[in-house]
Coordinates of all heavy atoms in Angstrom, one line a residue:
M991 N 36.6 6.6 -24.6 CA 37.8 5.9 -24.1 C 37.7 4.5 -24.6 O 36.6 3.9 -24.7 CB 37.9 5.9 -22.6 CG 38.0 7.3 -22.0 SD 38.3 7.2 -20.3 CE 40.0 7.6 -20.3
P992 N 38.8 3.9 -24.9 CA 38.8 2.5 -25.5 C 38.2 1.5 -24.4 O 38.5 1.6 -23.3 CB 40.3 2.2 -25.7 CG 40.9 3.6 -25.8 CD 40.1 4.5 -25.0
G993 N 37.4 0.6 -24.9 CA 36.9 -0.5 -24.0 C 35.6 -0.1 -23.2 O 35.1 -0.9 -22.6
E994 N 35.3 1.2 -23.3 CA 34.1 1.6 -22.6 C 32.8 1.3 -23.5 O 32.8 1.4 -24.7 CB 34.1 3.1 -22.3 CG 35.0 3.5 -21.2 CD 34.9 4.9 -20.8 OE1 33.8 5.6 -21.1 OE2 35.8 5.5 -20.1
S995 N 31.7 0.9 -22.7 CA 30.5 0.6 -23.4 C 29.5 1.8 -23.3 O 29.5 2.4 -22.2 CB 29.9 -0.7 -22.8 OG 28.6 -0.9 -23.3
N996 N 28.8 2.0 -24.3 CA 27.7 3.1 -24.2 C 26.4 2.5 -23.9 O 25.3 3.1 -24.0 CB 27.7 3.8 -25.5 CG 28.9 4.7 -25.7 OD1 29.4 5.3 -24.7 ND2 29.3 4.9 -27.0
E997 N 26.3 1.2 -23.5 CA 25.1 0.5 -23.2 C 24.7 0.8 -21.8 O 25.6 0.8 -20.8 CB 25.2 -1.0 -23.4 CG 25.3 -1.4 -24.9 CD 25.2 -2.8 -25.0 OE1 24.6 -3.5 -24.2 OE2 25.9 -3.3 -26.0
W998 N 23.5 1.0 -21.5 CA 22.9 1.2 -20.1 C 21.8 0.3 -19.9 O 21.0 -0.1 -20.8 CB 22.4 2.7 -20.0 CG 23.5 3.7 -20.1 CD1 24.2 4.1 -21.2 CD2 24.1 4.4 -19.0 NE1 25.1 5.1 -20.9 CE2 25.1 5.2 -19.5 CE3 23.9 4.5 -17.7 CZ2 25.8 6.1 -18.8 CZ3 24.7 5.3 -16.9 CH2 25.6 6.1 -17.5
T999 N 21.7 -0.2 -18.7 CA 20.5 -1.0 -18.3 C 19.8 -0.3 -17.2 O 20.4 0.1 -16.2 CB 21.0 -2.4 -17.8 OG1 21.7 -3.0 -18.9 CG2 19.8 -3.3 -17.4
V1000 N 18.5 -0.1 -17.3 CA 17.7 0.4 -16.2 C 17.2 -0.7 -15.4 O 16.4 -1.5 -15.9 CB 16.6 1.3 -16.7 CG1 15.7 1.8 -15.6 CG2 17.1 2.4 -17.6
A1001 N 17.6 -0.8 -14.1 CA 17.3 -1.9 -13.2 C 15.9 -1.6 -12.5 O 15.2 -2.4 -12.2 CB 18.3 -2.2 -12.2
G1002 N 15.6 -0.3 -12.3 CA 14.4 0.2 -11.7 C 14.1 1.6 -12.0 O 15.0 2.4 -12.1
L1003 N 12.8 1.9 -12.1 CA 12.4 3.3 -12.4 C 11.4 3.8 -11.4 O 10.4 3.1 -11.2 CB 11.8 3.3 -13.8 CG 11.4 4.6 -14.4 CD1 12.7 5.5 -14.6 CD2 10.8 4.4 -15.8
Y1004 N 11.7 4.8 -10.7 CA 10.9 5.3 -9.6 C 10.7 6.8 -9.8 O 11.6 7.5 -10.3 CB 11.6 5.1 -8.3 CG 11.7 3.7 -7.9 CD1 12.8 2.9 -8.4 CD2 10.7 3.0 -7.2 CE1 12.9 1.6 -8.1 CE2 10.9 1.6 -6.9 CZ 12.0 1.0 -7.3 OH 12.1 -0.3 -7.0
T1005 N 9.6 7.3 -9.4 CA 9.3 8.8 -9.3 C 8.8 9.1 -7.9 O 8.3 8.1 -7.3 CB 8.3 9.2 -10.4 OG1 8.2 10.6 -10.4 CG2 6.9 8.7 -10.1
Y1006 N 9.1 10.2 -7.4 CA 8.7 10.6 -6.1 C 7.8 11.9 -6.2 O 8.3 13.0 -6.1 CB 10.0 11.0 -5.3 CG 10.8 9.8 -5.0 CD1 11.7 9.3 -6.0 CD2 10.7 9.1 -3.9 CE1 12.5 8.2 -5.9 CE2 11.5 7.9 -3.7 CZ 12.4 7.5 -4.7 OH 13.1 6.3 -4.5
P1007 N 6.5 11.6 -6.4 CA 5.6 12.7 -6.7 C 5.5 13.8 -5.6 O 5.5 14.9 -5.8 CB 4.2 12.1 -6.9 CG 4.5 10.7 -7.3 CD 5.8 10.4 -6.5
V1008 N 5.6 13.3 -4.3 CA 5.6 14.2 -3.1 C 6.9 14.1 -2.5 O 7.3 13.1 -2.0 CB 4.5 13.8 -2.2 CG1 4.5 14.8 -1.0 CG2 3.1 13.8 -2.8
K1009 N 7.6 15.2 -2.5 CA 9.0 15.3 -2.0 C 9.0 14.8 -0.5 O 8.1 15.1 0.3 CB 9.5 16.8 -2.0 CG 10.9 17.0 -1.5 CD 11.3 18.4 -1.7 CE 12.7 18.6 -1.1 NZ 13.8 17.7 -1.3
S1010 N 9.9 13.9 -0.2 CA 10.1 13.2 1.1 C 9.2 12.1 1.4 O 9.3 11.5 2.5 CB 10.1 14.3 2.2 OG 11.1 15.2 2.1
C1011 N 8.2 11.7 0.5 CA 7.3 10.6 0.7 C 7.9 9.4 -0.1 O 8.9 9.6 -0.8 CB 5.9 10.9 0.4 SG 5.2 12.2 1.4
Q1012 N 7.2 8.2 0.0 CA 7.6 7.1 -0.6 C 7.6 7.3 -2.2 O 6.7 8.0 -2.7 CB 6.8 5.8 -0.3 CG 7.1 5.3 1.0 CD 6.3 4.0 1.3 OE1 5.8 3.4 0.4 NE2 6.3 3.6 2.5
G1013 N 8.5 6.6 -2.9 CA 8.4 6.7 -4.3 C 7.5 5.7 -4.9 O 7.0 4.8 -4.3
V1014 N 7.2 5.8 -6.2 CA 6.3 5.0 -6.9 C 7.1 4.3 -8.0 O 7.8 4.9 -8.8 CB 5.2 5.9 -7.6 CG1 4.3 5.0 -8.5 CG2 4.4 6.6 -6.5
A1015 N 7.0 3.0 -8.0 CA 7.7 2.1 -9.0 C 7.0 2.2 -10.3 O 5.7 2.2 -10.4 CB 7.8 0.7 -8.6
L1016 N 7.7 2.4 -11.4 CA 7.1 2.6 -12.7 C 7.6 1.6 -13.7 O 8.8 1.1 -13.6 CB 7.5 4.0 -13.3 CG 7.2 5.2 -12.4 CD1 7.9 6.4 -13.1 CD2 5.7 5.4 -12.3
Q1017 N 6.8 1.2 -14.7 CA 7.2 0.4 -15.8 C 7.8 1.4 -17.0 O 8.7 1.0 -17.7 CB 6.1 -0.4 -16.4 CG 5.6 -1.4 -15.4 CD 6.7 -2.5 -15.1 OE1 7.3 -3.0 -16.1 NE2 6.8 -2.8 -13.9
S1018 N 7.2 2.5 -17.0 CA 7.6 3.5 -18.0 C 7.2 4.9 -17.5 O 6.4 5.1 -16.6 CB 7.0 3.3 -19.4 OG 5.6 3.4 -19.3
S1019 N 7.8 6.0 -18.1 CA 7.4 7.3 -17.7 C 7.6 8.3 -18.9 O 8.5 8.1 -19.7 CB 8.3 7.8 -16.5 OG 7.9 9.1 -16.2
T1020 N 6.8 9.3 -18.9 CA 7.0 10.4 -19.8 C 8.1 11.2 -19.3 O 8.2 11.5 -18.1 CB 5.7 11.3 -20.0 OG1 4.7 10.4 -20.4 CG2 5.9 12.4 -20.9
V1021 N 9.0 11.7 -20.1 CA 10.1 12.6 -19.7 C 9.7 14.0 -20.1 O 9.4 14.3 -21.4 CB 11.4 12.2 -20.3 CG1 12.5 13.2 -19.9 CG2 11.8 10.8 -19.9
T1022 N 9.6 14.9 -19.2 CA 9.3 16.3 -19.5 C 10.5 17.2 -19.5 O 11.6 16.7 -19.3 CB 8.3 16.9 -18.4 OG1 9.0 17.0 -17.2 CG2 7.0 15.9 -18.2
A1023 N 10.4 18.4 -19.7 CA 11.5 19.4 -19.7 C 12.2 19.4 -18.4 O 13.4 19.7 -18.3 CB 11.0 20.8 -20.1
T1024 N 11.5 19.0 -17.3 CA 12.1 19.1 -16.0 C 12.5 17.7 -15.4 O 13.0 17.6 -14.3 CB 11.2 19.8 -15.0 OG1 9.9 19.1 -14.9 CG2 11.0 21.3 -15.4
G1025 N 12.2 16.6 -16.2 CA 12.6 15.3 -15.7 C 11.4 14.3 -15.9 O 10.5 14.6 -16.7
L1026 N 11.4 13.3 -15.1 CA 10.2 12.3 -15.2 C 8.9 13.0 -14.8 O 8.9 13.8 -13.8 CB 10.5 11.2 -14.2 CG 11.7 10.3 -14.6 CD1 11.8 9.1 -13.6 CD2 11.7 9.8 -16.0
Q1027 N 7.8 12.6 -15.5 CA 6.5 13.2 -15.1 C 6.2 12.9 -13.7 O 6.4 11.9 -13.2 CB 5.5 12.6 -16.1 CG 4.1 13.2 -16.0 CD 3.2 12.6 -17.0 OE1 3.3 11.4 -17.4 NE2 2.1 13.3 -17.3
Y1028 N 5.7 13.9 -13.0 CA 5.2 13.9 -11.7 C 6.3 13.9 -10.6 O 6.1 13.9 -9.4 CB 4.2 12.8 -11.4 CG 3.0 12.8 -12.3 CD1 2.7 11.7 -13.0 CD2 2.1 13.9 -12.3 CE1 1.6 11.7 -13.9 CE2 1.0 13.9 -13.1 CZ 0.7 12.8 -13.9 OH -0.4 12.8 -14.7
D1029 N 7.6 13.7 -11.0 CA 8.7 13.6 -10.0 C 8.8 14.9 -9.2 O 9.1 16.0 -9.8 CB 10.0 13.3 -10.7 CG 11.0 12.8 -9.7 OD1 10.7 12.1 -8.8 OD2 12.2 13.2 -9.9
R1030 N 8.6 14.8 -7.9 CA 8.8 15.9 -7.0 C 7.9 17.2 -7.4 O 8.4 18.3 -7.3 CB 10.2 16.3 -6.8 CG 11.0 15.2 -6.1 CD 12.5 15.4 -6.0 NE 13.2 14.3 -5.4 CZ 13.5 13.2 -6.0 NH1 13.3 13.0 -7.2 NH2 14.1 12.3 -5.3
L1031 N 6.8 16.9 -7.9 CA 5.9 17.9 -8.3 C 5.2 18.6 -7.2 O 4.9 19.8 -7.2 CB 4.8 17.3 -9.3 CG 3.9 18.3 -10.1 CD1 4.7 19.3 -10.9 CD2 3.0 17.5 -10.9
W1032 N 5.0 17.9 -6.0 CA 4.3 18.4 -4.9 C 5.3 18.3 -3.7 O 6.2 17.5 -3.6 CB 3.1 17.6 -4.5 CG 2.0 17.8 -5.6 CD1 1.2 18.8 -5.8 CD2 1.7 16.8 -6.7 NE1 0.4 18.6 -6.9 CE2 0.7 17.4 -7.4 CE3 2.3 15.6 -7.0 CZ2 0.2 16.8 -8.6 CZ3 1.8 15.0 -8.1 CH2 0.7 15.5 -8.9
M1033 N 5.0 19.1 -2.6 CA 5.7 19.0 -1.4 C 4.8 19.4 -0.3 O 3.7 20.0 -0.5 CB 6.9 19.9 -1.3 CG 6.7 21.4 -1.4 SD 8.2 22.3 -1.3 CE 7.8 23.7 -2.3
L1034 N 5.0 18.9 0.9 CA 4.3 19.3 2.1 C 4.8 20.5 2.7 O 6.0 20.7 2.8 CB 4.4 18.0 3.1 CG 3.9 16.7 2.6 CD1 4.1 15.6 3.6 CD2 2.4 16.8 2.2
V1035 N 3.9 21.4 3.1 CA 4.2 22.7 3.7 C 3.6 22.8 5.0 O 2.4 22.5 5.2 CB 3.8 23.8 2.7 CG1 4.1 25.2 3.3 CG2 4.5 23.7 1.4
D1036 N 4.4 23.3 6.0 CA 3.8 23.7 7.4 C 3.0 24.9 7.2 O 3.4 26.0 6.8 CB 5.0 23.9 8.3 CG 4.5 24.1 9.7 OD1 3.7 25.0 9.9 OD2 5.1 23.5 10.6
A1037 N 1.7 24.7 7.6 CA 0.7 25.8 7.4 C 1.1 27.1 8.3 O 0.8 28.2 7.8 CB -0.7 25.3 7.7
R1038 N 1.7 26.8 9.4 CA 2.0 28.0 10.3 C 3.2 28.8 9.8 O 3.2 30.0 9.8 CB 2.3 27.5 11.7 CG 0.9 27.1 12.4 CD 1.2 26.5 13.7 NE 1.4 25.1 13.4 CZ 1.9 24.2 14.3 NH1 2.1 24.5 15.5 NH2 2.1 22.9 14.0
S1039 N 4.3 28.0 9.4 CA 5.5 28.8 9.0 C 5.6 29.0 7.5 O 6.3 29.9 7.0 CB 6.7 28.0 9.4 OG 6.8 26.7 8.6
G1040 N 4.8 28.2 6.7 CA 4.9 28.4 5.3 C 6.1 27.7 4.6 O 6.4 27.8 3.4
R1041 N 6.9 27.0 5.5 CA 8.1 26.3 5.0 C 7.8 24.9 4.7 O 7.0 24.2 5.3 CB 9.2 26.4 6.1 CG 9.6 27.8 6.4 CD 10.6 27.9 7.4 NE 11.8 27.6 6.6 CZ 13.1 27.7 7.1 NH1 13.3 28.3 8.3 NH2 14.1 27.4 6.4
F1042 N 8.6 24.3 3.7 CA 8.3 22.9 3.3 C 8.9 22.1 4.4 O 9.9 22.4 5.1 CB 8.9 22.6 1.9 CG 10.4 22.6 1.8 CD1 11.1 21.5 2.0 CD2 11.0 23.8 1.4 CE1 12.5 21.5 1.8 CE2 12.4 23.8 1.3 CZ 13.1 22.6 1.5
V1043 N 8.3 20.8 4.5 CA 8.6 19.9 5.5 C 9.4 18.8 4.8 O 9.1 18.3 3.7 CB 7.4 19.3 6.1 CG1 7.7 18.2 7.2 CG2 6.5 20.4 6.7
T1044 N 10.6 18.4 5.5 CA 11.4 17.3 4.8 C 11.5 16.1 5.7 O 11.2 16.1 6.9 CB 12.9 17.8 4.7 OG1 13.5 17.9 6.0 CG2 13.0 19.1 3.9
Q1045 N 11.9 15.0 5.1 CA 12.1 13.8 5.8 C 13.2 13.8 6.8 O 13.2 13.1 7.8 CB 12.4 12.6 4.7 CG 12.0 11.2 5.2 CD 12.3 10.2 4.1 OE1 13.4 9.6 4.2 NE2 11.5 10.1 3.1
R1046 N 14.1 14.7 6.6 CA 15.2 14.9 7.5 C 14.7 15.4 8.8 O 15.1 15.0 10.0 CB 16.2 15.9 7.0 CG 17.5 15.9 7.7 CD 18.6 16.8 7.0 NE 18.8 16.3 5.6 CZ 18.8 17.0 4.5 NH1 18.6 18.3 4.5 NH2 19.0 16.5 3.3
Q1047 N 13.6 16.3 8.8 CA 13.0 16.8 10.0 C 12.0 15.9 10.6 O 11.8 15.8 11.7 CB 12.3 18.1 9.6 CG 13.2 19.3 9.1 CD 12.3 20.3 8.3 OE1 11.5 20.0 7.5 NE2 12.6 21.5 8.6
H1048 N 11.3 15.1 9.7 CA 10.2 14.3 10.1 C 10.4 12.9 9.4 O 9.8 12.6 8.4 CB 8.9 14.9 9.8 CG 8.6 16.2 10.4 ND1 8.3 16.4 11.7 CD2 8.8 17.4 9.9 CE1 8.2 17.6 11.9 NE2 8.4 18.3 10.9
P1049 N 11.3 12.0 9.9 CA 11.6 10.8 9.3 C 10.3 9.9 8.9 O 10.3 9.1 8.0 CB 12.4 10.0 10.3 CG 13.0 11.1 11.1 CD 12.0 12.2 11.2
R1050 N 9.2 10.0 9.7 CA 8.0 9.3 9.4 C 7.3 9.6 8.1 O 6.5 8.8 7.6 CB 7.1 9.4 10.6 CG 7.5 8.8 11.8 CD 6.6 8.8 13.1 NE 5.3 8.3 12.8 CZ 4.9 7.1 12.9 NH1 5.7 6.2 13.3 NH2 3.6 6.8 12.7
L1051 N 7.7 10.7 7.4 CA 7.3 11.0 6.1 C 7.6 9.8 5.2 O 6.8 9.6 4.2 CB 7.9 12.2 5.5 CG 7.4 13.5 6.2 CD1 8.2 14.7 5.6 CD2 5.9 13.7 5.9
A1052 N 8.6 9.1 5.4 CA 9.0 7.9 4.6 C 7.9 6.8 4.6 O 7.9 5.9 3.7 CB 10.3 7.3 5.1
L1053 N 7.0 6.9 5.5 CA 5.9 5.9 5.6 C 4.7 6.2 4.7 O 3.8 5.4 4.5 CB 5.4 5.7 7.0 CG 6.5 5.3 8.1 CD1 5.9 5.3 9.5 CD2 7.1 3.9 7.7
I1054 N 4.6 7.4 4.2 CA 3.5 7.9 3.4 C 3.6 7.3 2.0 O 4.6 7.6 1.3 CB 3.4 9.4 3.3 CG1 3.2 10.0 4.8 CG2 2.3 9.8 2.5 CD1 3.2 11.4 4.9
Q1055 N 2.6 6.5 1.6 CA 2.6 6.0 0.3 C 1.8 6.9 -0.7 O 0.8 7.5 -0.2 CB 1.9 4.6 0.3 CG 2.6 3.6 1.1 CD 1.8 2.3 1.2 OE1 0.6 2.2 1.2 NE2 2.5 1.2 1.3
V1056 N 2.3 7.1 -1.8 CA 1.7 8.0 -2.8 C 1.2 7.2 -4.0 O 1.9 6.3 -4.5 CB 2.7 9.1 -3.2 CG1 2.1 10.0 -4.3 CG2 3.3 9.8 -2.1
S1057 N 0.0 7.6 -4.5 CA -0.4 7.0 -5.8 C -1.1 8.1 -6.6 O -1.7 9.0 -6.0 CB -1.4 5.8 -5.5 OG -2.5 6.2 -4.9
I1058 N -1.0 7.9 -7.9 CA -1.7 8.9 -8.8 C -2.6 8.2 -9.7 O -2.2 7.2 -10.3 CB -0.6 9.6 -9.7 CG1 0.4 10.5 -8.7 CG2 -1.3 10.5 -10.7 CD1 1.5 11.1 -9.4
N1059 N -3.8 8.6 -9.7 CA -4.8 8.0 -10.7 C -5.0 9.0 -11.7 O -5.7 10.0 -11.6 CB -6.2 7.8 -10.0 CG -7.2 7.1 -10.9 OD1 -7.3 7.4 -12.1 ND2 -8.0 6.3 -10.3
E1060 N -4.2 8.9 -12.8 CA -4.3 9.9 -14.0 C -5.6 9.9 -14.6 O -6.0 11.0 -15.0 CB -3.2 9.4 -15.0 CG -1.8 9.7 -14.5 CD -0.8 9.5 -15.6 OE1 -0.5 10.4 -16.3 OE2 -0.3 8.3 -15.7
K1061 N -6.3 8.8 -14.7 CA -7.6 8.8 -15.4 C -8.6 9.7 -14.7 O -9.4 10.5 -15.3 CB -8.1 7.4 -15.4 CG -9.5 7.2 -16.1 CD -10.0 5.8 -16.1 CE -11.3 5.7 -16.9 NZ -11.8 4.3 -16.8
H1062 N -8.5 9.8 -13.3 CA -9.5 10.6 -12.6 C -8.8 11.9 -12.0 O -9.4 12.7 -11.4 CB -10.1 9.9 -11.4 CG -10.9 8.7 -11.9 ND1 -10.5 7.4 -11.9 CD2 -12.2 8.7 -12.5 CE1 -11.5 6.7 -12.4 NE2 -12.5 7.4 -12.8
G1063 N -7.5 12.1 -12.3 CA -6.8 13.3 -11.9 C -6.7 13.4 -10.3 O -6.9 14.4 -9.8
V1064 N -6.4 12.2 -9.7 CA -6.4 12.2 -8.2 C -5.0 11.8 -7.7 O -4.5 10.8 -8.1 CB -7.5 11.2 -7.7 CG1 -7.4 11.1 -6.2 CG2 -8.9 11.7 -8.1
L1065 N -4.5 12.5 -6.8 CA -3.3 12.1 -6.0 C -3.8 11.6 -4.7 O -4.7 12.3 -4.0 CB -2.4 13.4 -5.8 CG -1.3 13.2 -4.8 CD1 -0.2 12.4 -5.6 CD2 -0.7 14.6 -4.4
E1066 N -3.3 10.5 -4.3 CA -3.8 9.9 -3.0 C -2.6 9.6 -2.1 O -1.5 9.1 -2.5 CB -4.6 8.6 -3.2 CG -5.1 8.1 -1.9 CD -6.1 6.9 -2.2 OE1 -7.2 7.1 -2.6 OE2 -5.6 5.7 -1.9
L1067 N -2.7 10.0 -0.8 CA -1.7 9.8 0.2 C -2.2 8.8 1.3 O -3.4 9.0 1.7 CB -1.2 11.1 0.9 CG -0.8 12.2 0.0 CD1 -0.4 13.4 0.8 CD2 0.5 11.8 -0.9
N1068 N -1.5 7.8 1.6 CA -1.9 6.8 2.6 C -0.7 6.6 3.6 O 0.5 6.5 3.2 CB -2.1 5.4 1.9 CG -3.4 5.4 1.1 OD1 -4.4 5.4 1.6 ND2 -3.2 5.4 -0.2
A1069 N -1.1 6.7 4.9 CA -0.1 6.5 6.0 C -0.7 5.5 6.9 O -1.9 5.5 7.2 CB 0.1 7.8 6.7
P1070 N 0.2 4.7 7.5 CA -0.3 3.7 8.5 C -1.2 4.3 9.6 O -0.8 5.3 10.2 CB 1.0 3.1 9.1 CG 2.0 3.4 8.1 CD 1.6 4.7 7.4
G1071 N -2.4 3.7 9.8 CA -3.2 4.1 10.9 C -4.1 5.4 10.7 O -4.7 6.0 11.5
M1072 N -4.0 5.8 9.4 CA -4.7 7.1 9.0 C -5.6 6.8 7.8 O -5.3 5.9 7.0 CB -3.7 8.2 8.7 CG -2.8 8.5 9.9 SD -1.7 9.9 9.6 CE -2.9 11.2 9.9
S1073 N -6.6 7.6 7.7 CA -7.5 7.6 6.5 C -6.7 8.1 5.3 O -5.9 9.0 5.4 CB -8.8 8.4 6.7 OG -9.5 7.9 7.7
A1074 N -7.1 7.5 4.1 CA -6.5 8.1 2.9 C -6.8 9.5 2.7 O -8.0 10.0 3.0 CB -6.9 7.2 1.7
L1075 N -5.9 10.3 2.0 CA -6.1 11.7 1.7 C -6.1 11.8 0.3 O -5.1 11.4 -0.4 CB -5.0 12.5 2.4 CG -5.2 14.0 2.2 CD1 -6.4 14.6 2.8 CD2 -3.9 14.7 2.9
Q1076 N -7.1 12.4 -0.3 CA -7.1 12.7 -1.8 C -7.2 14.2 -2.1 O -7.8 14.9 -1.4 CB -8.3 12.0 -2.4 CG -8.3 10.5 -2.4 CD -9.4 9.9 -3.2 OE1 -10.5 10.5 -3.5 NE2 -9.3 8.7 -3.6

C-alpha cells in the first residue's frame, strides 16, 4: 500500500523457556523451525493428574525466574523464599 513502511524496530526480545513462568530478556536469539530457541520448550505438570499447570490456575507461577546456562546445559528455576531448582 502507498505510504506504508517495511521497516521494523525490535524494542525488546524475550523468550519464555518454561510456559507460565517469567520471561528471559535477550540481546539476540537463534530462530529454529518452531520459533525462538528455548521458547516454551518446557512446562510444569501436575504429577497426580498428568496435566500441565498454567498461570491462569496458579498466578504465583509469574514469580518464578528462569535462567539457562547453555555452557553447562542447566535450566534453573528460582522463586521467592525457595531454594533454586536445577
Side-chain angles (χ1 to χ4, degrees):
M991 298 187 107
E994 285 189 18
S995 173
N996 289 327
E997 290 185 32
W998 294 75
T999 300
V1000 176
L1003 185 60
Y1004 297 86
T1005 188
Y1006 296 83
V1008 180
K1009 184 173 172 46
S1010 296
C1011 295
Q1012 285 187 14
V1014 177
L1016 304 172
Q1017 293 296 315
S1018 64
S1019 179
T1020 300
V1021 178
T1022 69
T1024 58
L1026 296 179
Q1027 185 177 29
Y1028 303 122
D1029 193 43
R1030 293 171 183 85
L1031 190 58
W1032 295 280
M1033 67 178 144
L1034 300 174
V1035 177
D1036 183 308
R1038 286 174 276 173
S1039 69
R1041 300 185 73 167
F1042 69 91
V1043 179
T1044 69
Q1045 204 178 101
R1046 195 172 300 131
Q1047 299 161 315
H1048 302 281
R1050 292 180 53 87
L1051 288 174
L1053 300 175
I1054 298 174
Q1055 297 175 330
V1056 180
S1057 61
I1058 297 174
N1059 182 325
E1060 288 186 90
K1061 183 177 179 182
H1062 295 104
V1064 174
L1065 172 76
E1066 184 172 282
L1067 305 177
N1068 289 285
M1072 301 184 81
S1073 298
L1075 178 64
Q1076 293 185 339

